[in-house]
Amino acid sequence: MGRRLSTFAGAALLLWLVSGCSSMIDGRPPGPWYDAYQPIEDPASEQFIDRALEMAVAEFGDPAIPVGQIILRRSRKTEAAGRYRIGQDFSLTECIDSTNGVFVVYIGVDPGHPNYYALLGHECCHLVNAHITDWYMEGIATVFSEEVCAAQGLDWGDWKRHFMRSRREPYALSYRMMRALKQAYPAHYSSFLRHVAPNEKGAPWQRIDIDSWLDALPAGGRDEALGIIAPYVSALRNQTAAQYTFAVPNQLD
């Protein structure tokens, strides 16, 4: 069972809501966690997911856990769960059954929202390996989101403008870093998800093994890649306290 949390650009994760209201109930509702949230029953979304998963597999290879079922949820509480003090409006890809490949994808906005497909595309990339929780992977998923939306003729919401301007937002920084690495190393970029290692959070969580990936580059390529990564090290290293890790290449540490 795995869990990966994603919060960015219009999909801020509200963890446990703080409320003094005595009518609110602590703990979690009975039954599967995803039943506390509203289902998204939308053929267009299902078609998008199918195409996105095909593109992700074509680029990065077969998922670490074969995908057998995807349950799509809008991360707003159902009426039955309304009194429980649980988070809402987050985006998340979660493997709830690794044996049968059952995943739940939560989306923090409604279908029809300008950022809906941008968020959905990002989460679909995480289906390839939902256990990688670092800023390299977040950047990979955001770049993929832009590409899968373009491939399906869908607008990428307001992300391009935001991600190209922000100097602090970690999703913007990881997006620009990974986009530059893809442009510089188109033949080696897709191998990122084959270079993984355990992270300090313990099993099953993983990180991109950046030094392993750098070592696999052709002669002379490592220095250029380090030059691309270097401007982002300080900011992303400072964004590792909550959900994500960031392994600094040995030569930059």
mmCIF file of all heavy atoms in Angstrom, residues 67-84:
data_model
loop_
_atom_site.group_PDB
_atom_site.id
_atom_site.type_symbol
_atom_site.label_atom_id
_atom_site.label_comp_id
_atom_site.label_asym_id
_atom_site.label_seq_id
_atom_site.Cartn_x
_atom_site.Cartn_y
_atom_site.Cartn_z
ATOM 1 N N VAL A 67 -0.976 -1.610 -13.269
ATOM 2 C CA VAL A 67 -2.231 -0.914 -12.975
ATOM 3 C C VAL A 67 -3.403 -1.795 -13.380
ATOM 4 O O VAL A 67 -3.591 -2.094 -14.560
ATOM 5 C CB VAL A 67 -2.288 0.438 -13.701
ATOM 6 C CG1 VAL A 67 -3.621 1.140 -13.405
ATOM 7 C CG2 VAL A 67 -1.112 1.322 -13.278
ATOM 8 N N GLY A 68 -4.191 -2.206 -12.383
ATOM 9 C CA GLY A 68 -5.363 -3.024 -12.662
ATOM 10 C C GLY A 68 -6.658 -2.249 -12.631
ATOM 11 O O GLY A 68 -7.587 -2.516 -13.390
ATOM 12 N N GLN A 69 -6.742 -1.247 -11.744
ATOM 13 C CA GLN A 69 -7.969 -0.450 -11.602
ATOM 14 C C GLN A 69 -7.606 0.935 -11.100
ATOM 15 O O GLN A 69 -6.726 1.080 -10.236
ATOM 16 C CB GLN A 69 -8.935 -1.118 -10.606
ATOM 17 C CG GLN A 69 -10.246 -0.351 -10.416
ATOM 18 C CD GLN A 69 -11.147 -0.988 -9.366
ATOM 19 O OE1 GLN A 69 -10.766 -1.982 -8.719
ATOM 20 N NE2 GLN A 69 -12.334 -0.440 -9.177
ATOM 21 N N ILE A 70 -8.276 1.935 -11.643
ATOM 22 C CA ILE A 70 -8.091 3.315 -11.192
ATOM 23 C C ILE A 70 -9.441 3.844 -10.716
ATOM 24 O O ILE A 70 -10.404 3.869 -11.491
ATOM 25 C CB ILE A 70 -7.528 4.207 -12.311
ATOM 26 C CG1 ILE A 70 -6.170 3.686 -12.784
ATOM 27 C CG2 ILE A 70 -7.400 5.661 -11.831
ATOM 28 C CD1 ILE A 70 -5.661 4.367 -14.037
ATOM 29 N N ILE A 71 -9.505 4.253 -9.477
ATOM 30 C CA ILE A 71 -10.710 4.841 -8.891
ATOM 31 C C ILE A 71 -10.505 6.354 -8.846
ATOM 32 O O ILE A 71 -9.525 6.829 -8.260
ATOM 33 C CB ILE A 71 -10.958 4.289 -7.471
ATOM 34 C CG1 ILE A 71 -11.142 2.763 -7.516
ATOM 35 C CG2 ILE A 71 -12.173 4.958 -6.829
ATOM 36 C CD1 ILE A 71 -11.116 2.105 -6.143
ATOM 37 N N LEU A 72 -11.388 7.105 -9.474
ATOM 38 C CA LEU A 72 -11.226 8.552 -9.580
ATOM 39 C C LEU A 72 -12.156 9.252 -8.602
ATOM 40 O O LEU A 72 -13.367 8.993 -8.588
ATOM 41 C CB LEU A 72 -11.517 9.003 -11.011
ATOM 42 C CG LEU A 72 -11.275 10.477 -11.353
ATOM 43 C CD1 LEU A 72 -9.824 10.869 -11.092
ATOM 44 C CD2 LEU A 72 -11.640 10.732 -12.815
ATOM 45 N N ARG A 73 -11.588 10.146 -7.802
ATOM 46 C CA ARG A 73 -12.356 10.852 -6.784
ATOM 47 C C ARG A 73 -12.049 12.345 -6.816
ATOM 48 O O ARG A 73 -10.916 12.765 -7.022
ATOM 49 C CB ARG A 73 -12.024 10.318 -5.383
ATOM 50 C CG ARG A 73 -12.571 8.918 -5.085
ATOM 51 C CD ARG A 73 -14.077 8.978 -4.938
ATOM 52 N NE ARG A 73 -14.668 7.733 -4.485
ATOM 53 C CZ ARG A 73 -15.124 6.770 -5.274
ATOM 54 N NH1 ARG A 73 -15.006 6.895 -6.589
ATOM 55 N NH2 ARG A 73 -15.676 5.684 -4.770
ATOM 56 N N ARG A 74 -13.107 13.147 -6.614
ATOM 57 C CA ARG A 74 -12.961 14.576 -6.337
ATOM 58 C C ARG A 74 -12.764 14.683 -4.835
ATOM 59 O O ARG A 74 -13.564 14.157 -4.048
ATOM 60 C CB ARG A 74 -14.218 15.324 -6.795
ATOM 61 C CG ARG A 74 -14.335 16.759 -6.271
ATOM 62 C CD ARG A 74 -13.299 17.687 -6.895
ATOM 63 N NE ARG A 74 -13.594 19.074 -6.565
ATOM 64 C CZ ARG A 74 -12.977 19.739 -5.587
ATOM 65 N NH1 ARG A 74 -12.060 19.151 -4.846
ATOM 66 N NH2 ARG A 74 -13.298 21.007 -5.352
ATOM 67 N N SER A 75 -11.715 15.349 -4.407
ATOM 68 C CA SER A 75 -11.389 15.373 -2.977
ATOM 69 C C SER A 75 -12.237 16.385 -2.207
ATOM 70 O O SER A 75 -11.727 17.294 -1.550
ATOM 71 C CB SER A 75 -9.899 15.641 -2.770
ATOM 72 O OG SER A 75 -9.501 16.808 -3.466
ATOM 73 N N ARG A 76 -13.537 16.190 -2.325
ATOM 74 C CA ARG A 76 -14.512 16.890 -1.496
ATOM 75 C C ARG A 76 -15.318 15.834 -0.742
ATOM 76 O O ARG A 76 -15.676 14.797 -1.294
ATOM 77 C CB ARG A 76 -15.466 17.738 -2.346
ATOM 78 C CG ARG A 76 -14.794 18.859 -3.109
ATOM 79 C CD ARG A 76 -14.210 19.933 -2.225
ATOM 80 N NE ARG A 76 -15.247 20.661 -1.485
ATOM 81 C CZ ARG A 76 -14.993 21.625 -0.607
ATOM 82 N NH1 ARG A 76 -13.745 21.955 -0.314
ATOM 83 N NH2 ARG A 76 -15.973 22.234 0.007
ATOM 84 N N LYS A 77 -15.593 16.108 0.520
ATOM 85 C CA LYS A 77 -16.275 15.116 1.342
ATOM 86 C C LYS A 77 -17.682 14.820 0.823
ATOM 87 O O LYS A 77 -18.383 15.711 0.343
ATOM 88 C CB LYS A 77 -16.359 15.604 2.790
ATOM 89 C CG LYS A 77 -15.025 15.680 3.503
ATOM 90 C CD LYS A 77 -15.169 16.084 4.952
ATOM 91 C CE LYS A 77 -15.427 17.571 5.099
ATOM 92 N NZ LYS A 77 -15.399 17.996 6.525
ATOM 93 N N THR A 78 -18.064 13.557 0.939
ATOM 94 C CA THR A 78 -19.450 13.198 0.675
ATOM 95 C C THR A 78 -20.318 13.706 1.813
ATOM 96 O O THR A 78 -19.822 14.094 2.882
ATOM 97 C CB THR A 78 -19.607 11.680 0.560
ATOM 98 O OG1 THR A 78 -19.267 11.080 1.825
ATOM 99 C CG2 THR A 78 -18.720 11.115 -0.535
ATOM 100 N N GLU A 79 -21.619 13.689 1.602
ATOM 101 C CA GLU A 79 -22.527 14.127 2.665
ATOM 102 C C GLU A 79 -22.347 13.273 3.918
ATOM 103 O O GLU A 79 -22.345 13.793 5.039
ATOM 104 C CB GLU A 79 -23.978 14.052 2.178
ATOM 105 C CG GLU A 79 -24.991 14.569 3.186
ATOM 106 C CD GLU A 79 -26.415 14.551 2.647
ATOM 107 O OE1 GLU A 79 -26.584 14.252 1.443
ATOM 108 O OE2 GLU A 79 -27.336 14.843 3.425
ATOM 109 N N ALA A 80 -22.158 11.973 3.735
ATOM 110 C CA ALA A 80 -22.013 11.075 4.883
ATOM 111 C C ALA A 80 -20.751 11.364 5.680
ATOM 112 O O ALA A 80 -20.708 11.135 6.900
ATOM 113 C CB ALA A 80 -22.005 9.630 4.408
ATOM 114 N N ALA A 81 -19.721 11.878 5.009
ATOM 115 C CA ALA A 81 -18.455 12.164 5.683
ATOM 116 C C ALA A 81 -18.329 13.621 6.091
ATOM 117 O O ALA A 81 -17.289 14.033 6.611
ATOM 118 C CB ALA A 81 -17.293 11.792 4.771
ATOM 119 N N GLY A 82 -19.379 14.387 5.904
ATOM 120 C CA GLY A 82 -19.302 15.831 6.095
ATOM 121 C C GLY A 82 -18.897 16.278 7.479
ATOM 122 O O GLY A 82 -18.296 17.334 7.641
ATOM 123 N N ARG A 83 -19.222 15.494 8.498
ATOM 124 C CA ARG A 83 -18.929 15.914 9.875
ATOM 125 C C ARG A 83 -17.538 15.477 10.333
ATOM 126 O O ARG A 83 -17.121 15.808 11.433
ATOM 127 C CB ARG A 83 -19.982 15.361 10.827
ATOM 128 C CG ARG A 83 -21.365 16.001 10.659
ATOM 129 C CD ARG A 83 -22.334 15.429 11.671
ATOM 130 N NE ARG A 83 -21.909 15.709 13.031
ATOM 131 C CZ ARG A 83 -22.413 15.100 14.121
ATOM 132 N NH1 ARG A 83 -23.332 14.160 13.979
ATOM 133 N NH2 ARG A 83 -21.980 15.415 15.318
ATOM 134 N N TYR A 84 -16.831 14.736 9.488
ATOM 135 C CA TYR A 84 -15.497 14.298 9.875
ATOM 136 C C TYR A 84 -14.466 15.366 9.546
ATOM 137 O O TYR A 84 -14.535 16.015 8.507
ATOM 138 C CB TYR A 84 -15.141 12.990 9.170
ATOM 139 C CG TYR A 84 -15.857 11.794 9.742
ATOM 140 C CD1 TYR A 84 -17.126 11.425 9.285
ATOM 141 C CD2 TYR A 84 -15.287 11.041 10.771
ATOM 142 C CE1 TYR A 84 -17.794 10.333 9.821
ATOM 143 C CE2 TYR A 84 -15.954 9.946 11.311
ATOM 144 C CZ TYR A 84 -17.199 9.602 10.835
ATOM 145 O OH TYR A 84 -17.865 8.523 11.367
#
